Each structure stands twice: as C-alpha cells, then as structure tokens.
Amino acid sequence: MTLAKALDADQRADALEHLAAGQLDVLVVGGGIVGVGAALDAVTRGLKVGLVEQRDLASGTSSRSSKLVHGGLRYLEMFDFALVKEALEERGLLLTRLAPHLVRPVPFLYPLEHAWERPYVGAGVALYDGMAMTGKYDMGVPKHKHVFRKQLARMAPDIRTDSLHGAIRYYDCQVDDARLVMTIARTAANNGAHVATRTKVTGFLREGEQVVGVRARDLEGQRDLEIRAKVVINAAGVWTDEVQELIGGTAQLDVDASKGIHLVVPKDRIRSECGFITKTEKSVLFVIPWDDFWIIGTTDTAWDFDLAHPAASKTDIDYLLGHVNRLLKDPLDHRDVIGVWAGLRPLLKPMRKEGEMGETTKLSREHTVASPVPGLVLVAGGKLTTYRVMARDAVDHALEHSPSGSGATPASITDRVPLMGAWGFEARTNQRVALSRASGLEIGVIDHLLGRYGGLVDEVLALIHERPELGEPLPGAEHYLRAEVLYAATHEGARHLDDVLARRTRISIETFDRGIHAARPAAELMAEALGWDPAQVDDEVDHYLRRVEAERQSQLMSTDQEADEARVKAPEIV
C-alpha cells in the first residue's frame, strides 16, 4: 500500500514556499472545520489552493464543540425544518460514507416529565427520524423508541425516575471534532492543497478595490511573506469582525461569540446505557457518552473577552452541575470533574446599532456567505455538522466573484470524497484479531486505534513494528500509546506539545491531572520528530503546565471577567 502524504515539518516548509511563489486560485484563511472543508472542496475541483492558520488546526471553536454530529432536534421547535433536514443528511453522509471511522452513533434518552409530553415529543422525534430516512443519504442509525418508567429504570439506574413518565430513546452521532478537522486538512493536502499552520495573516494585498492576496507572517520561521490569490476565503469564525476591520469599510456580517462550556466526568459516576438530553431555561443540557467518560454540556452566554482563550468560570460549572443533578440520584460535585473546556460559537446576528446587545440563544446557527469587497469572501455561522455545505457555498461564491469567473470549474464533489482513513476501515475492522496477533497489542487497543485512524492504522502499527517500545502506554495517560504522540508530530501536523495533549489526543480533558504527568514523556517523543533540544522540551512542558494552572484558576472565578484575567496569564508558545 502506498503511504499517505503526511502533515509534517517538510510538508509545512514546502507549503510556505508554494504559497509565496506564483498565484493561487483560492487562499483559505482559517484552519477550523469550515476552513479545511473549503480547502478540500476547492482543491478537489481542480483549483490551486492554499490554507493558512495562525495557530494549530482546530485550535479555536472547532476543537471545543459538544462533539456531536446531529440534526439539531431542538430546532424543530423553532420550525427550522430546512436546517434540520440539511443537517440530518450531512449526518448520514459522514456516518456512512465520508468518515465512518470517526463518526459513530450514540443513543440518547429524552426524559418526559409530564404525560402530555409523550405525544408531543414523540411526534417531534418521529419527524426527526422521518427527515433522516427520506434524505439523500443513508440514515445510518436506529429509529427512535418509546421507553416507559420501568424500562427507563433498567436502562439508566442512576436517573431519578420517580417524577418521570418514562423517556424517548433516539440516536444521533458523535465525533472527535479536532480529529475530524485534522483529517479533512490532511485529505486536502493529499489532494494538492498547501496547508501551513502557525502562519498569521497581517493584512490584505489590494489592487484598487480588488483583494489580490494577503500579507502573512510565518510565526515559527519569523519571516514575512506575500501570498497572492485570485480570491481569498476567510473562514475566521468568531474572528470575522476583526477581519472586516482589516479591510476597512462597512461590515457586511455581524457575528456574536457565544460561550458554551462542557464538563468531563468518569463513566462510573452515572450508570446509564444511553446519554440523555433535556432543556434548561437558557440552553439544552446534554449528557454524552465519551469512551470511559461522560461529557456534560452546555451553556449559551455572550462572551466579550479574549477570543483565543475563552474561560469557564465557577458559575458556569455550578450551572451545569446544578441542572444535571436534578436528574441524578447521586449528585455530582466539583471533585467529580476531570476536565473542563470552553468554546465560542460564531452566531450570525442582524446588523445592529453600536451599543445594542442581543441574546445569543435566539441567534441563528445558519450560515451566510458574503463578499464585502471584490476578491474577498467571508463565510460565518453554521455548525460542525454542516461544515461541508458551508464550504461548498463559500467556494461557489468565491468562483462567482473571481476575476476569471467560475468558467469550466467543476461543481463540488466532496459528498463523494471519503476522508483519509475511511478507505480500508471496514476491512481492517474485520481483520482486528489478525492485527492484534501480528502487533502483539490487545484487541481493545486495536479497536481504539481503528476508531482514531481507520484504515491509516497501518501507519501507526508500522511505527510500533519498527520500535516495539512505541506500543507501550504513554506514562500519565495510559489509554494512549507512545506511538500516537510520535505519529501526531510526524503525520498529523502537531507542532507543539499543546497540539498533541489538547487536540490530536484528548489527554488534557481525560486525565484527572489534565495531562501534567504525561507532558514530559510526550514532549520527549515529539522532540525526536521535530528536532527539539532539551531547552525547547523544557519550554514546551513549562508552557503546558502554565496553561493547565491558568485554566484551573479561571474555573475558580465567579465572573467571566475574572475568569478571563486568570486564563490569559498563560501566553501562547508561538
């Protein structure tokens, strides 16, 4: 088998050289889910494409979501049927065709507090399933089922059923959002896109009114470059307003940052066969199965502070614990919380006068594409599940507004482009016993690797074959192998320790110490691939420890402002 192209130091250097030479058809700014989706969409149409990201892939919103691929059941109450149907179609596409190795079904219970809710909620969930079944792609998940009180008590022994009238079980899907982003970026690179992280856009190149590229700075090489392109697609998410300030003039899009936080608790703290979902007065409460853990989320509050490092406050954590404890026989407290993360949703809002504020919970998750000046396209809004549609719309808009026009450029084909790892996944899954015997790894470990790498598991196993010690668990994070850390640096574009512990793996939220004990062993493995000397290893570890301490301190604060002040004390390493 021909090995896939890696996102490594050589690839990044080559990408920077190509970006600085000649002219691209499309330059994408932003390495989140929409940005990498746009890069893949454009390059698979036959266009010359580049992508730059000022930090790491998925370092913003796209690694801090609820990690769900879903239709948005609650949007049915808002009569947003088109949005739900579109999202359900994309859910089926990801699950059955594009990323079956990354996206998996997850069952949820919707508890019913009143008898009258059963026909009302049941009709809504039936419509939800019906939309999925009649979509363009396979549904991919089981249909919903009505559950009564005694059944509910057996399925979820730790849920208080005395005041409930049963529940409705239905299915959605989940995904490791950061791995999805990285995999799309790597798929784009393997199709010819030039991907460069740690490259910050500092301004736009103009010829009259026309945007003809960007000025950028390679933050690691400390050099400036000009990148010329027929059209620039900006997929900056919550930074959209800042980008519009760079070009001057009247803003066409107005984006609010809404903070959502999530907690991680051990699986044994809640006995249940399913996750569950219920409404609160401000948002939706999810309790989501996540391997050996539960994810509890989320909040929905306006955030007006540092966009790069949103912080969860003690008030946020208390809010979630208070609401989940209403459902549990044995309440959770702060000692049960292993990990916490906060993310920002980019919500489109109607253009409003300065000084006016709106409620983020009432703003739309639908996306918009606009061209404020010739040669520049902005895309904002939307959600993780519909990233492919957003990317397609952005590229379509870019081609329409390109100086050379769309011409003979083919239409989007990303609904027929499986992501890397999808090919060979089913075959390798059937061969899991043979892989276990050949590698000496337990079947549970092989299953873990298949769920992260799919058909690319061969590349990870090849590292272990060459160096058997890489098949050992990573000290301080025994549910990951040493090989996975090295592979993140050699194949998956990880440039810093934070990239591995927070995004290529989930060690930062899946260990009680938040990755402190794993930090040095991981950094030493990365040093082999990235050529770090002992001083840089120390710097990487020190930076990570500072980040963890800043996050912990922020989570002791009562207000967003205090939490922000505590969090920003840990600066970026680049």
Side-chain angles (χ1 to χ4, degrees), residues 19 23-29 38-39 42-43 47-51 194 227-233 394-395 398-399 402:
L19 292 174
Q23 184 185 43
L24 302 170
D25 293 315
V26 176
L27 173 66
V28 181
V29 178
V43 77
L47 301 173
K48 186 177 181 182
V49 178
L51 180 145
H194 306 294
I227 306 172
R228 303 188 72 83
K230 295 177 182 177
V231 64
V232 176
I233 296 177
V395 175
L399 291 173
S402 172

Side-chain angles (χ1 to χ4, degrees), residues 12 17 115 183 213 236 248 259 262 264 268 272 389 462 469 574:
R12 180 178 181 275
E17 291 303 316
T183 303
K259 183 178 70 168
H262 296 79
V264 180
D268 60 8
S272 178
V389 177
E469 72 275 11
V574 175

Side-chain angles (χ1 to χ4, degrees), residues 14 22 104 179 199 210 212 315 365 371 461 463 487 489 509 570:
D14 182 67
R104 53 190 56 90
R179 289 204 66 77
T199 305
Q210 182 83 26
V212 295
T315 302
R365 264 65 173 176
S371 183
L461 294 177
L463 292 177
Y487 186 82
I509 60 171

